[in-house]
Amino acid sequence: MVASISARHTPSQNQLLAALPEEIFVRITPHLELVSMKLGEVLYESGSQLQHVYFPTTAIVSLHYITENGTSVEITGVGNEGILGISLFLGGNTTPSLATVLTAGCGYRLKRQIIMEEFNRAGPMMRLMLLYTQALITQISQTAVCNRQHSIDQQLCRWLLLALDRTPSNELTMTQELIASMLGVRREGITEAAGNLQRAGLISYRRGHITVLDRTGLESRTCECYNVVKKEFQRLLNGEGDANSSPVNSRVEASRGK
C-alpha cells in the first residue's frame, strides 16, 4: 500500500520538514519512512519507550490521557504542522499520554537516533523543534482553559477548525461519540452542539461524516482560543517578528503543486 501512495506524497507536505534548511532536509530524507496510519491505530502506548518520531502529512494524531476509570480526554492533536514524539529531544524516552490516529492518512517516521543526531548538532533542527514545542505547549494550555471556561458549542467550533487546518478538504469522518471523548464531555452535549451548528447552516452532519459549509461562520462562533493557538503557531514557525528564524520555505508550495 505504501508503495502505491508514495508517488502522491512528499516529506514537504509536513510543514516542519519543509521548514528545514536544504542541507538538513537532504541529509535526513533518505531516512524518512513513509507509513500509512489507520484510523484508531496506536502509535505510542502510555509509558512505552519511543523508538521513532512521526511527521504526519495527511493523517491527524490525537494525544490523550486515559484515567483509571477508563474515561479519556484529548490533550492535543498533531497534523501536518507538527511532529509526534517531542519527549525524545526534551530529555525523556516515554510519555504518559496515548497517541492514536484520529483521521486516517499518511506520514513519515524517523528513527530516534537520526532525529537525536540532528538535534544534538545544536543548529537549525534544534531551534525548529524547540519553537514547535513552545507552540504545542500553547495549544495544550489553551485547550485546558477552553475546556474549563467555554461552552460546548465554542469547544466544538474550535476543535473542528483545528481539524480543518490539518486536512485538505472541508469534510471530516468523525462520530459524535469520538468527539465527545476527545473533548471530555457527554455525548448528549455534542449532539446538542452539533445540532445547533447544523441548524445555523454551518455544518452538515450525517452517519459519522461532518461537512463544514461555512468556515467563516464557525470562526465567528468559536471562542478566542482558536485564534490564540493559530497566531502562536504562525508567529513561531513562520518566523513572524523574528529576523533570525526561517519561515516555511518554498518546498511547501512546491509540494502543494504536485
Side-chain angles (χ1 to χ4, degrees):
M1 178 179 177
V2 172
S4 65
I5 63 177
S6 60
R8 305 196 306 269
H9 285 78
T10 169
S12 292
Q13 289 173 295
N14 178 277
Q15 295 177 38
L16 285 185
L17 291 176
L20 289 172
E22 190 71 22
E23 177 186 355
I24 299 176
F25 184 82
V26 170
R27 187 160 58 231
I28 70 170
T29 295
H31 303 285
L32 292 169
E33 179 187 359
L34 178 64
V35 292
S36 176
M37 300 180 181
K38 299 178 181 178
L39 178 64
E41 180 181 358
V42 176
L43 300 181
Y44 296 144
E45 293 277 3
S46 175
S48 63
Q49 293 284 327
L50 306 187
Q51 301 301 323
H52 299 87
V53 293
Y54 291 84
F55 297 91
T57 53
T58 58
I60 300 176
V61 180
S62 174
L63 296 178
H64 52 277
Y65 184 83
I66 300 177
T67 64
E68 290 183 354
N69 65 8
T71 60
S72 68
V73 64
E74 184 179 62
I75 300 170
T76 190
V78 179
N80 59 8
E81 83 291 347
I83 180 176
L84 194 68
I86 64 170
S87 58
L88 279 179
F89 51 80
L90 291 179
N93 295 317
T94 65
T95 175
S97 58
L98 183 70
T100 58
V101 178
L102 184 63
T103 299
C106 294
Y108 290 84
R109 71 179 184 181
L110 187 65
K111 291 182 178 179
R112 58 181 294 173
Q113 56 265 36
I114 303 299
I115 186 79
M116 290 310 301
E117 285 175 6
E118 290 296 338
F119 186 85
N120 289 332
R121 293 175 189 268
M125 171 69 89
M126 183 182 74
R127 175 175 172 76
L128 185 63
M129 294 300 104
L130 293 179
L131 285 173
Y132 171 74
T133 300
Q134 181 178 338
L136 191 65
I137 290 172
T138 298
Q139 181 174 332
I140 295 171
S141 302
Q142 203 68 35
T143 298
V145 171
C146 189
N147 290 348
R148 178 69 176 175
Q149 299 295 334
H150 297 140
S151 68
I152 296 179
D153 277 38
Q154 291 174 315
Q155 293 178 49
L156 179 58
C157 288
R158 169 187 59 82
W159 193 88
L160 289 173
L161 287 167
L162 287 173
L164 281 180
D165 287 345
R166 297 167 174 138
T167 59
S169 74
N170 64 340
E171 296 188 2
L172 301 169
T173 301
M174 205 71 57
T175 64
Q176 291 185 1
E177 289 86 354
L178 184 56
I179 297 175
S181 175
M182 293 299 100
L183 295 179
V185 300
R186 293 173 62 85
R187 181 187 179 278
E188 292 80 4
I190 295 298
T191 299
E192 181 179 355
N196 292 338
L197 298 182
Q198 185 160 253
R199 284 188 292 274
L202 304 181
I203 68 170
S204 172
Y205 178 82
R206 54 185 173 79
R207 296 182 181 179
H209 286 78
I210 298 175
T211 302
V212 175
L213 305 175
D214 184 355
R215 182 189 174 108
T216 301
L218 280 183
E219 291 177 349
S220 67
R221 193 156 175 151
T222 192
C223 52
E224 71 272 17
C225 298
Y226 170 69
N227 279 325
V228 169
V229 171
K230 186 173 183 178
K231 288 179 180 179
E232 186 69 353
F233 269 87
Q234 290 174 341
R235 183 182 76 85
L236 294 171
L237 301 182
N238 290 338
E240 295 182 7
D242 186 353
N244 295 318
S245 62
S246 300
V248 174
N249 60 41
S250 60
R251 284 194 300 273
V252 174
E253 297 303 325
S255 68
R256 289 173 181 167
K258 292 185 178 181

